[in-house]
PDB file of all heavy atoms in Angstrom:
ATOM      1  N   VAL A   1      10.681   2.176  -8.024  1.00  0.00           N
ATOM      2  CA  VAL A   1      10.465   0.980  -8.842  1.00  0.00           C
ATOM      3  C   VAL A   1      10.165  -0.216  -7.934  1.00  0.00           C
ATOM      4  O   VAL A   1       9.256  -1.011  -8.207  1.00  0.00           O
ATOM      5  CB  VAL A   1      11.685   0.711  -9.752  1.00  0.00           C
ATOM      6  CG1 VAL A   1      11.539  -0.606 -10.489  1.00  0.00           C
ATOM      7  CG2 VAL A   1      11.872   1.864 -10.729  1.00  0.00           C
ATOM      8  N   ALA A   2      10.909  -0.346  -6.831  1.00  0.00           N
ATOM      9  CA  ALA A   2      10.686  -1.442  -5.892  1.00  0.00           C
ATOM     10  C   ALA A   2       9.329  -1.305  -5.201  1.00  0.00           C
ATOM     11  O   ALA A   2       8.626  -2.298  -4.986  1.00  0.00           O
ATOM     12  CB  ALA A   2      11.802  -1.488  -4.854  1.00  0.00           C
ATOM     13  N   VAL A   3       8.949  -0.077  -4.856  1.00  0.00           N
ATOM     14  CA  VAL A   3       7.649   0.158  -4.223  1.00  0.00           C
ATOM     15  C   VAL A   3       6.530  -0.236  -5.185  1.00  0.00           C
ATOM     16  O   VAL A   3       5.583  -0.924  -4.809  1.00  0.00           O
ATOM     17  CB  VAL A   3       7.506   1.629  -3.773  1.00  0.00           C
ATOM     18  CG1 VAL A   3       6.080   1.940  -3.344  1.00  0.00           C
ATOM     19  CG2 VAL A   3       8.480   1.936  -2.639  1.00  0.00           C
ATOM     20  N   SER A   4       6.646   0.181  -6.441  1.00  0.00           N
ATOM     21  CA  SER A   4       5.627  -0.157  -7.438  1.00  0.00           C
ATOM     22  C   SER A   4       5.531  -1.668  -7.636  1.00  0.00           C
ATOM     23  O   SER A   4       4.429  -2.222  -7.719  1.00  0.00           O
ATOM     24  CB  SER A   4       5.951   0.536  -8.763  1.00  0.00           C
ATOM     25  OG  SER A   4       4.960   0.249  -9.720  1.00  0.00           O
ATOM     26  N   ALA A   5       6.672  -2.343  -7.675  1.00  0.00           N
ATOM     27  CA  ALA A   5       6.678  -3.802  -7.843  1.00  0.00           C
ATOM     28  C   ALA A   5       6.031  -4.489  -6.649  1.00  0.00           C
ATOM     29  O   ALA A   5       5.274  -5.460  -6.815  1.00  0.00           O
ATOM     30  CB  ALA A   5       8.111  -4.303  -8.036  1.00  0.00           C
ATOM     31  N   ALA A   6       6.312  -4.003  -5.451  1.00  0.00           N
ATOM     32  CA  ALA A   6       5.694  -4.579  -4.254  1.00  0.00           C
ATOM     33  C   ALA A   6       4.187  -4.374  -4.270  1.00  0.00           C
ATOM     34  O   ALA A   6       3.416  -5.286  -3.919  1.00  0.00           O
ATOM     35  CB  ALA A   6       6.300  -3.958  -2.999  1.00  0.00           C
ATOM     36  N   MET A   7       3.750  -3.204  -4.696  1.00  0.00           N
ATOM     37  CA  MET A   7       2.312  -2.932  -4.776  1.00  0.00           C
ATOM     38  C   MET A   7       1.651  -3.832  -5.828  1.00  0.00           C
ATOM     39  O   MET A   7       0.544  -4.325  -5.607  1.00  0.00           O
ATOM     40  CB  MET A   7       2.067  -1.455  -5.058  1.00  0.00           C
ATOM     41  CG  MET A   7       2.498  -0.554  -3.903  1.00  0.00           C
ATOM     42  SD  MET A   7       2.317   1.209  -4.251  1.00  0.00           S
ATOM     43  CE  MET A   7       0.539   1.396  -4.000  1.00  0.00           C
ATOM     44  N   ASN A   8       2.330  -4.041  -6.951  1.00  0.00           N
ATOM     45  CA  ASN A   8       1.807  -4.951  -7.983  1.00  0.00           C
ATOM     46  C   ASN A   8       1.661  -6.366  -7.429  1.00  0.00           C
ATOM     47  O   ASN A   8       0.684  -7.063  -7.736  1.00  0.00           O
ATOM     48  CB  ASN A   8       2.705  -4.959  -9.213  1.00  0.00           C
ATOM     49  CG  ASN A   8       2.594  -3.690 -10.028  1.00  0.00           C
ATOM     50  OD1 ASN A   8       1.605  -2.968  -9.964  1.00  0.00           O
ATOM     51  ND2 ASN A   8       3.640  -3.393 -10.789  1.00  0.00           N
ATOM     52  N   ALA A   9       2.625  -6.792  -6.610  1.00  0.00           N
ATOM     53  CA  ALA A   9       2.566  -8.127  -6.011  1.00  0.00           C
ATOM     54  C   ALA A   9       1.385  -8.252  -5.054  1.00  0.00           C
ATOM     55  O   ALA A   9       0.707  -9.284  -5.029  1.00  0.00           O
ATOM     56  CB  ALA A   9       3.873  -8.448  -5.292  1.00  0.00           C
ATOM     57  N   VAL A  10       1.117  -7.210  -4.273  1.00  0.00           N
ATOM     58  CA  VAL A  10      -0.036  -7.228  -3.359  1.00  0.00           C
ATOM     59  C   VAL A  10      -1.327  -7.403  -4.151  1.00  0.00           C
ATOM     60  O   VAL A  10      -2.192  -8.204  -3.797  1.00  0.00           O
ATOM     61  CB  VAL A  10      -0.083  -5.934  -2.510  1.00  0.00           C
ATOM     62  CG1 VAL A  10      -1.423  -5.784  -1.792  1.00  0.00           C
ATOM     63  CG2 VAL A  10       1.070  -5.909  -1.511  1.00  0.00           C
ATOM     64  N   ILE A  11      -1.435  -6.671  -5.246  1.00  0.00           N
ATOM     65  CA  ILE A  11      -2.640  -6.765  -6.082  1.00  0.00           C
ATOM     66  C   ILE A  11      -2.741  -8.150  -6.733  1.00  0.00           C
ATOM     67  O   ILE A  11      -3.793  -8.795  -6.692  1.00  0.00           O
ATOM     68  CB  ILE A  11      -2.647  -5.652  -7.151  1.00  0.00           C
ATOM     69  CG1 ILE A  11      -2.787  -4.285  -6.475  1.00  0.00           C
ATOM     70  CG2 ILE A  11      -3.758  -5.874  -8.172  1.00  0.00           C
ATOM     71  CD1 ILE A  11      -2.500  -3.105  -7.382  1.00  0.00           C
ATOM     72  N   ALA A  12      -1.651  -8.629  -7.304  1.00  0.00           N
ATOM     73  CA  ALA A  12      -1.661  -9.913  -8.029  1.00  0.00           C
ATOM     74  C   ALA A  12      -1.941 -11.091  -7.108  1.00  0.00           C
ATOM     75  O   ALA A  12      -2.643 -12.034  -7.490  1.00  0.00           O
ATOM     76  CB  ALA A  12      -0.331 -10.115  -8.744  1.00  0.00           C
ATOM     77  N   GLN A  13      -1.413 -11.056  -5.891  1.00  0.00           N
ATOM     78  CA  GLN A  13      -1.581 -12.183  -4.977  1.00  0.00           C
ATOM     79  C   GLN A  13      -2.895 -12.121  -4.205  1.00  0.00           C
ATOM     80  O   GLN A  13      -3.252 -13.090  -3.529  1.00  0.00           O
ATOM     81  CB  GLN A  13      -0.395 -12.253  -4.012  1.00  0.00           C
ATOM     82  CG  GLN A  13       0.885 -12.597  -4.725  1.00  0.00           C
ATOM     83  CD  GLN A  13       2.069 -12.641  -3.785  1.00  0.00           C
ATOM     84  OE1 GLN A  13       1.931 -12.731  -2.585  1.00  0.00           O
ATOM     85  NE2 GLN A  13       3.262 -12.584  -4.349  1.00  0.00           N
ATOM     86  N   ASN A  14      -3.600 -10.993  -4.287  1.00  0.00           N
ATOM     87  CA  ASN A  14      -4.890 -10.843  -3.621  1.00  0.00           C
ATOM     88  C   ASN A  14      -4.813 -11.334  -2.167  1.00  0.00           C
ATOM     89  O   ASN A  14      -5.609 -12.159  -1.730  1.00  0.00           O
ATOM     90  CB  ASN A  14      -5.976 -11.597  -4.403  1.00  0.00           C
ATOM     91  CG  ASN A  14      -7.360 -11.173  -3.991  1.00  0.00           C
ATOM     92  OD1 ASN A  14      -7.571 -10.077  -3.487  1.00  0.00           O
ATOM     93  ND2 ASN A  14      -8.320 -12.051  -4.198  1.00  0.00           N
ATOM     94  N   CYS A  15      -3.831 -10.824  -1.442  1.00  0.00           N
ATOM     95  CA  CYS A  15      -3.532 -11.348  -0.099  1.00  0.00           C
ATOM     96  C   CYS A  15      -4.239 -10.608   1.032  1.00  0.00           C
ATOM     97  O   CYS A  15      -4.047 -10.954   2.193  1.00  0.00           O
ATOM     98  CB  CYS A  15      -2.027 -11.378   0.131  1.00  0.00           C
ATOM     99  SG  CYS A  15      -1.180  -9.842  -0.205  1.00  0.00           S
ATOM    100  N   PHE A  16      -5.052  -9.597   0.731  1.00  0.00           N
ATOM    101  CA  PHE A  16      -5.782  -8.884   1.773  1.00  0.00           C
ATOM    102  C   PHE A  16      -7.273  -8.919   1.481  1.00  0.00           C
ATOM    103  O   PHE A  16      -7.702  -8.684   0.362  1.00  0.00           O
ATOM    104  CB  PHE A  16      -5.316  -7.424   1.874  1.00  0.00           C
ATOM    105  CG  PHE A  16      -3.922  -7.284   2.386  1.00  0.00           C
ATOM    106  CD1 PHE A  16      -2.865  -7.102   1.505  1.00  0.00           C
ATOM    107  CD2 PHE A  16      -3.659  -7.342   3.743  1.00  0.00           C
ATOM    108  CE1 PHE A  16      -1.562  -6.983   1.975  1.00  0.00           C
ATOM    109  CE2 PHE A  16      -2.370  -7.223   4.222  1.00  0.00           C
ATOM    110  CZ  PHE A  16      -1.322  -7.045   3.335  1.00  0.00           C
ATOM    111  N   SER A  17      -8.044  -9.200   2.514  1.00  0.00           N
ATOM    112  CA  SER A  17      -9.497  -9.188   2.412  1.00  0.00           C
ATOM    113  C   SER A  17      -9.997  -7.916   3.096  1.00  0.00           C
ATOM    114  O   SER A  17      -9.662  -7.661   4.247  1.00  0.00           O
ATOM    115  CB  SER A  17     -10.073 -10.422   3.109  1.00  0.00           C
ATOM    116  OG  SER A  17     -11.473 -10.373   3.109  1.00  0.00           O
ATOM    117  N   THR A  18     -10.768  -7.117   2.382  1.00  0.00           N
ATOM    118  CA  THR A  18     -11.266  -5.865   2.950  1.00  0.00           C
ATOM    119  C   THR A  18     -12.784  -5.799   2.829  1.00  0.00           C
ATOM    120  O   THR A  18     -13.383  -6.500   2.006  1.00  0.00           O
ATOM    121  CB  THR A  18     -10.664  -4.638   2.225  1.00  0.00           C
ATOM    122  OG1 THR A  18     -11.313  -4.464   0.964  1.00  0.00           O
ATOM    123  CG2 THR A  18      -9.168  -4.771   2.020  1.00  0.00           C
ATOM    124  N   SER A  19     -13.381  -4.935   3.618  1.00  0.00           N
ATOM    125  CA  SER A  19     -14.830  -4.743   3.531  1.00  0.00           C
ATOM    126  C   SER A  19     -15.217  -4.057   2.225  1.00  0.00           C
ATOM    127  O   SER A  19     -16.365  -4.106   1.812  1.00  0.00           O
ATOM    128  CB  SER A  19     -15.334  -3.932   4.724  1.00  0.00           C
ATOM    129  OG  SER A  19     -14.718  -2.651   4.744  1.00  0.00           O
ATOM    130  N   GLY A  20     -14.253  -3.415   1.565  1.00  0.00           N
ATOM    131  CA  GLY A  20     -14.492  -2.746   0.294  1.00  0.00           C
ATOM    132  C   GLY A  20     -14.220  -3.631  -0.904  1.00  0.00           C
ATOM    133  O   GLY A  20     -14.181  -3.156  -2.033  1.00  0.00           O
ATOM    134  N   GLY A  21     -13.971  -4.921  -0.664  1.00  0.00           N
ATOM    135  CA  GLY A  21     -13.689  -5.836  -1.761  1.00  0.00           C
ATOM    136  C   GLY A  21     -12.200  -6.045  -1.943  1.00  0.00           C
ATOM    137  O   GLY A  21     -11.381  -5.619  -1.128  1.00  0.00           O
ATOM    138  N   ASN A  22     -11.844  -6.702  -3.013  1.00  0.00           N
ATOM    139  CA  ASN A  22     -10.441  -6.994  -3.310  1.00  0.00           C
ATOM    140  C   ASN A  22      -9.673  -5.729  -3.657  1.00  0.00           C
ATOM    141  O   ASN A  22     -10.228  -4.778  -4.212  1.00  0.00           O
ATOM    142  CB  ASN A  22     -10.331  -7.970  -4.483  1.00  0.00           C
ATOM    143  CG  ASN A  22     -10.890  -9.329  -4.157  1.00  0.00           C
ATOM    144  OD1 ASN A  22     -10.849  -9.777  -3.016  1.00  0.00           O
ATOM    145  ND2 ASN A  22     -11.439  -9.990  -5.156  1.00  0.00           N
ATOM    146  N   VAL A  23      -8.381  -5.740  -3.360  1.00  0.00           N
ATOM    147  CA  VAL A  23      -7.503  -4.639  -3.736  1.00  0.00           C
ATOM    148  C   VAL A  23      -7.221  -4.785  -5.229  1.00  0.00           C
ATOM    149  O   VAL A  23      -6.773  -5.836  -5.681  1.00  0.00           O
ATOM    150  CB  VAL A  23      -6.189  -4.697  -2.914  1.00  0.00           C
ATOM    151  CG1 VAL A  23      -5.234  -3.615  -3.358  1.00  0.00           C
ATOM    152  CG2 VAL A  23      -6.487  -4.572  -1.430  1.00  0.00           C
ATOM    153  N   VAL A  24      -7.530  -3.735  -6.008  1.00  0.00           N
ATOM    154  CA  VAL A  24      -7.446  -3.865  -7.462  1.00  0.00           C
ATOM    155  C   VAL A  24      -6.555  -2.838  -8.156  1.00  0.00           C
ATOM    156  O   VAL A  24      -6.201  -3.028  -9.315  1.00  0.00           O
ATOM    157  CB  VAL A  24      -8.857  -3.808  -8.103  1.00  0.00           C
ATOM    158  CG1 VAL A  24      -9.696  -5.002  -7.682  1.00  0.00           C
ATOM    159  CG2 VAL A  24      -9.559  -2.502  -7.795  1.00  0.00           C
ATOM    160  N   ALA A  25      -6.186  -1.748  -7.480  1.00  0.00           N
ATOM    161  CA  ALA A  25      -5.408  -0.707  -8.167  1.00  0.00           C
ATOM    162  C   ALA A  25      -4.519   0.056  -7.194  1.00  0.00           C
ATOM    163  O   ALA A  25      -4.866   0.246  -6.036  1.00  0.00           O
ATOM    164  CB  ALA A  25      -6.342   0.269  -8.871  1.00  0.00           C
ATOM    165  N   LYS A  26      -3.378   0.497  -7.726  1.00  0.00           N
ATOM    166  CA  LYS A  26      -2.486   1.362  -6.963  1.00  0.00           C
ATOM    167  C   LYS A  26      -3.034   2.784  -7.003  1.00  0.00           C
ATOM    168  O   LYS A  26      -3.466   3.259  -8.052  1.00  0.00           O
ATOM    169  CB  LYS A  26      -1.079   1.359  -7.557  1.00  0.00           C
ATOM    170  CG  LYS A  26      -0.384   0.027  -7.501  1.00  0.00           C
ATOM    171  CD  LYS A  26       1.023   0.108  -8.073  1.00  0.00           C
ATOM    172  CE  LYS A  26       0.971   0.171  -9.580  1.00  0.00           C
ATOM    173  NZ  LYS A  26       2.300   0.058 -10.207  1.00  0.00           N
ATOM    174  N   LYS A  27      -3.010   3.440  -5.870  1.00  0.00           N
ATOM    175  CA  LYS A  27      -3.435   4.835  -5.795  1.00  0.00           C
ATOM    176  C   LYS A  27      -2.233   5.750  -5.597  1.00  0.00           C
ATOM    177  O   LYS A  27      -2.153   6.810  -6.179  1.00  0.00           O
ATOM    178  CB  LYS A  27      -4.434   5.008  -4.653  1.00  0.00           C
ATOM    179  CG  LYS A  27      -5.011   6.385  -4.530  1.00  0.00           C
ATOM    180  CD  LYS A  27      -6.051   6.436  -3.427  1.00  0.00           C
ATOM    181  CE  LYS A  27      -6.596   7.841  -3.269  1.00  0.00           C
ATOM    182  NZ  LYS A  27      -7.553   7.916  -2.164  1.00  0.00           N
ATOM    183  N   GLY A  28      -1.282   5.326  -4.742  1.00  0.00           N
ATOM    184  CA  GLY A  28      -0.101   6.139  -4.495  1.00  0.00           C
ATOM    185  C   GLY A  28       0.709   5.571  -3.346  1.00  0.00           C
ATOM    186  O   GLY A  28       0.352   4.559  -2.745  1.00  0.00           O
ATOM    187  N   ALA A  29       1.797   6.245  -3.053  1.00  0.00           N
ATOM    188  CA  ALA A  29       2.647   5.863  -1.927  1.00  0.00           C
ATOM    189  C   ALA A  29       3.267   7.138  -1.379  1.00  0.00           C
ATOM    190  O   ALA A  29       3.478   8.108  -2.132  1.00  0.00           O
ATOM    191  CB  ALA A  29       3.730   4.893  -2.378  1.00  0.00           C
ATOM    192  N   ARG A  30       3.544   7.127  -0.086  1.00  0.00           N
ATOM    193  CA  ARG A  30       4.149   8.321   0.500  1.00  0.00           C
ATOM    194  C   ARG A  30       4.921   7.970   1.766  1.00  0.00           C
ATOM    195  O   ARG A  30       4.628   6.979   2.433  1.00  0.00           O
ATOM    196  CB  ARG A  30       3.104   9.386   0.804  1.00  0.00           C
ATOM    197  CG  ARG A  30       2.059   8.962   1.816  1.00  0.00           C
ATOM    198  CD  ARG A  30       1.005  10.017   1.970  1.00  0.00           C
ATOM    199  NE  ARG A  30      -0.063   9.554   2.857  1.00  0.00           N
ATOM    200  CZ  ARG A  30      -1.096  10.266   3.180  1.00  0.00           C
ATOM    201  NH1 ARG A  30      -1.227  11.494   2.703  1.00  0.00           N
ATOM    202  NH2 ARG A  30      -2.020   9.792   3.975  1.00  0.00           N
ATOM    203  N   ILE A  31       5.901   8.807   2.054  1.00  0.00           N
ATOM    204  CA  ILE A  31       6.651   8.719   3.300  1.00  0.00           C
ATOM    205  C   ILE A  31       5.992   9.686   4.271  1.00  0.00           C
ATOM    206  O   ILE A  31       5.728  10.840   3.926  1.00  0.00           O
ATOM    207  CB  ILE A  31       8.129   9.123   3.099  1.00  0.00           C
ATOM    208  CG1 ILE A  31       8.843   8.141   2.199  1.00  0.00           C
ATOM    209  CG2 ILE A  31       8.834   9.273   4.439  1.00  0.00           C
ATOM    210  CD1 ILE A  31       9.134   6.804   2.845  1.00  0.00           C
ATOM    211  N   ILE A  32       5.736   9.210   5.472  1.00  0.00           N
ATOM    212  CA  ILE A  32       5.149  10.046   6.515  1.00  0.00           C
ATOM    213  C   ILE A  32       6.171  10.180   7.632  1.00  0.00           C
ATOM    214  O   ILE A  32       6.706   9.183   8.114  1.00  0.00           O
ATOM    215  CB  ILE A  32       3.845   9.432   7.052  1.00  0.00           C
ATOM    216  CG1 ILE A  32       2.835   9.294   5.921  1.00  0.00           C
ATOM    217  CG2 ILE A  32       3.284  10.263   8.198  1.00  0.00           C
ATOM    218  CD1 ILE A  32       1.599   8.502   6.276  1.00  0.00           C
ATOM    219  N   GLU A  33       6.467  11.416   8.028  1.00  0.00           N
ATOM    220  CA  GLU A  33       7.389  11.692   9.128  1.00  0.00           C
ATOM    221  C   GLU A  33       6.595  12.225  10.304  1.00  0.00           C
ATOM    222  O   GLU A  33       5.716  13.072  10.130  1.00  0.00           O
ATOM    223  CB  GLU A  33       8.433  12.724   8.712  1.00  0.00           C
ATOM    224  CG  GLU A  33       9.356  12.245   7.623  1.00  0.00           C
ATOM    225  CD  GLU A  33      10.431  13.250   7.293  1.00  0.00           C
ATOM    226  OE1 GLU A  33      10.976  13.865   8.228  1.00  0.00           O
ATOM    227  OE2 GLU A  33      10.718  13.421   6.106  1.00  0.00           O
ATOM    228  N   ARG A  34       6.923  11.728  11.481  1.00  0.00           N
ATOM    229  CA  ARG A  34       6.205  12.159  12.682  1.00  0.00           C
ATOM    230  C   ARG A  34       7.226  12.543  13.747  1.00  0.00           C
ATOM    231  O   ARG A  34       8.128  11.782  14.068  1.00  0.00           O
ATOM    232  CB  ARG A  34       5.317  11.026  13.193  1.00  0.00           C
ATOM    233  CG  ARG A  34       4.451  11.427  14.362  1.00  0.00           C
ATOM    234  CD  ARG A  34       3.596  10.281  14.830  1.00  0.00           C
ATOM    235  NE  ARG A  34       4.443   9.351  15.571  1.00  0.00           N
ATOM    236  CZ  ARG A  34       4.367   8.036  15.502  1.00  0.00           C
ATOM    237  NH1 ARG A  34       3.494   7.467  14.715  1.00  0.00           N
ATOM    238  NH2 ARG A  34       5.160   7.270  16.208  1.00  0.00           N
ATOM    239  N   ASN A  35       7.059  13.726  14.286  1.00  0.00           N
ATOM    240  CA  ASN A  35       7.901  14.185  15.389  1.00  0.00           C
ATOM    241  C   ASN A  35       7.135  14.016  16.689  1.00  0.00           C
ATOM    242  O   ASN A  35       5.953  14.355  16.768  1.00  0.00           O
ATOM    243  CB  ASN A  35       8.276  15.658  15.229  1.00  0.00           C
ATOM    244  CG  ASN A  35       9.193  15.880  14.050  1.00  0.00           C
ATOM    245  OD1 ASN A  35      10.073  15.082  13.795  1.00  0.00           O
ATOM    246  ND2 ASN A  35       8.994  16.965  13.335  1.00  0.00           N
ATOM    247  N   GLU A  36       7.817  13.538  17.708  1.00  0.00           N
ATOM    248  CA  GLU A  36       7.213  13.391  19.025  1.00  0.00           C
ATOM    249  C   GLU A  36       8.080  14.087  20.045  1.00  0.00           C
ATOM    250  O   GLU A  36       9.304  13.978  20.016  1.00  0.00           O
ATOM    251  CB  GLU A  36       7.090  11.915  19.407  1.00  0.00           C
ATOM    252  CG  GLU A  36       6.134  11.154  18.539  1.00  0.00           C
ATOM    253  CD  GLU A  36       6.025   9.701  18.954  1.00  0.00           C
ATOM    254  OE1 GLU A  36       6.440   9.349  20.084  1.00  0.00           O
ATOM    255  OE2 GLU A  36       5.504   8.916  18.165  1.00  0.00           O
ATOM    256  N   SER A  37       7.454  14.821  20.938  1.00  0.00           N
ATOM    257  CA  SER A  37       8.158  15.484  22.033  1.00  0.00           C
ATOM    258  C   SER A  37       7.403  15.222  23.313  1.00  0.00           C
ATOM    259  O   SER A  37       6.201  15.516  23.411  1.00  0.00           O
ATOM    260  CB  SER A  37       8.240  17.000  21.797  1.00  0.00           C
ATOM    261  OG  SER A  37       8.938  17.286  20.611  1.00  0.00           O
TER     262      SER A  37
END
């Protein structure tokens, strides 16, 4: 719920400028784990 709310805030505040235009929709979220040796 907090992740979704944060993503909604990013979209609503239009705080990132990209070469693909404004950020307009949530696609997903994921946790990525990386092991290093």
